[in-house]
Amino acid sequence: MMQNEYVPFFSEVKEVIRHTDIEYTFRMAYEGQVKPGQFFEVSLPKFGEAPISVSGIGDGTIDLTIRRVGRVTEEIFEHYEGDRLFLRGPYGNGFDADLYKGKELVVVAGGTGLSPVRGIVDYFARHPQEVKSMTLIAGFKSASDILFKEDLQRWRKSMKVILTVDSGEETKDCKVGLVTEFIPGLGLGDAASAAAVVVGPPVMMKFAAGALLKRGFCEENIWISHERKMCCGIGKCGHCKVDDTYICLDGPVFNFTKGIRLVD
């Protein structure tokens, strides 16, 4: 008998971590292989489903950081520890840590774009010997929008963290300005052999990647992740199709040499 790929499974909410008024991380029970940057379809009967990126991988758990922005996520926010949600996945290709090992690595994340790269940043924070150097540039609209504050403090111990907000007052740990402003001054030994990951809104990815290229990075050493809305997750509905590419199947992580053609 063929398995119905649309049938979800129950997952228990193990913990809920509140970051802002509208952004929580739901730590869900999950046993199986999963990569940072992949996504799950999270659903509730009568309300629908929404694609949510994996923002953390634990022992028997996955983290799904969800923003309260619509009918489905409004209802998900009513479920807390001990409750259960429906999941399908994981879908997509995710980030491959092996591609960045032995390199100078720069991660540029804008807003909720920090969620899908949190797993790869955390991996190298725990294994700093596997990269030559590590720099994270994370930008948010304001100080009240900053996600993963405890992680950011922990990551500072093993990598260079540049935390920035679009507006507000500069502090010891947080600068003011767009993420692109901090790329030209990156201290790198050899930008041409360095690797970069860029995730955020399309316009941010476009200009951040452009700044990296001006800094000396090679196109083939830059990876981006699309946050384009996926529906079925298995390449059947065509909702995320761009030309001949299905974001849910071929992505959402792309090498810049292909991904740039998919940026609106």
Side-chain angles (χ1 to χ4, degrees):
M1 182 182 294
M2 291 183 63
Q3 182 180 358
N4 188 335
E5 295 180 276
Y6 287 99
V7 175
F9 55 88
F10 265 130
S11 176
E12 182 182 347
V13 180
K14 293 295 188 180
E15 185 181 358
V16 177
I17 303 160
R18 177 173 173 170
H19 304 293
T20 71
D21 290 342
I22 61 170
E23 286 150 325
Y24 295 2
T25 289
F26 289 74
R27 186 156 290 159
M28 309 298 301
Y30 180 73
E31 297 285 351
Q33 295 295 315
V34 62
K35 284 184 176 181
Q38 289 187 300
F39 67 96
F40 282 79
E41 291 284 353
V42 183
S43 62
L44 285 167
K46 299 182 182 180
F47 292 93
E49 61 182 5
I52 306 295
S53 296
V54 174
S55 61
I57 303 168
D59 184 11
T61 64
I62 53 167
D63 288 354
L64 301 175
T65 301
I66 300 175
R67 191 174 197 188
R68 191 174 192 161
V69 292
R71 186 167 181 256
V72 179
T73 52
E74 283 278 355
E75 184 63 21
I76 290 172
F77 267 53
E78 298 302 317
H79 290 256
Y80 295 97
E81 292 177 35
D83 287 348
R84 294 192 296 175
L85 301 173
F86 280 109
L87 302 182
R88 286 197 293 118
Y91 297 123
N93 57 358
F95 291 101
D96 185 352
D98 289 340
L99 294 172
Y100 315 122
K101 291 180 179 178
K103 297 179 179 290
E104 296 174 279
L105 176 61
V106 176
V107 176
V108 185
T112 56
L114 185 56
S115 295
V117 296
R118 177 177 173 243
I120 203 74
V121 173
D122 207 47
Y123 175 84
F124 287 113
R126 298 179 188 278
H127 304 86
Q129 72 281 1
E130 295 188 11
V131 285
K132 287 184 178 178
S133 68
M134 174 87 186
T135 302
L136 169 66
I137 305 175
F140 296 91
K141 287 184 178 180
S142 68
S144 62
D145 296 307
I146 297 173
L147 303 177
F148 312 117
K149 292 178 181 178
E150 290 184 3
D151 290 324
L152 287 162
Q153 290 300 325
R154 177 169 55 83
W155 292 339
R156 290 181 188 275
K157 298 175 183 178
S158 57
M159 68 183 69
K160 182 176 182 180
V161 174
I162 301 173
L163 177 62
T164 179
V165 293
D166 294 350
S167 60
E169 293 186 9
E170 185 167 312
T171 67
K172 176 173 66 72
D173 293 329
C174 187
K175 300 181 181 296
V176 177
L178 302 178
V179 293
T180 50
E181 297 176 30
F182 302 93
I183 292 175
L186 287 173
L188 298 170
D190 181 14
S193 63
V197 172
V198 182
V199 185
V203 67
M204 170 261 168
M205 291 196 294
K206 178 180 179 180
F207 284 101
L212 288 166
L213 293 173
K214 287 183 179 179
R215 180 61 183 79
F217 281 73
C218 297
E219 284 191 0
E220 60 269 24
N221 290 337
I222 300 173
W223 283 262
I224 63 176
S225 179
H226 283 273
E227 296 183 332
R228 189 182 183 93
K229 181 172 173 58
M230 280 76 78
C231 280
C232 71
I234 55 177
K236 301 297 184 184
C237 71
H239 193 276
C240 67
K241 191 171 184 283
V242 181
D243 297 328
D244 60 347
T245 300
Y246 289 86
I247 304 298
C248 67
L249 293 179
D250 305 312
V253 177
F254 292 92
N255 186 268
F256 185 73
T257 53
K258 180 174 183 177
I260 187 57
R261 298 189 291 105
L262 308 175
V263 176
D264 296 330

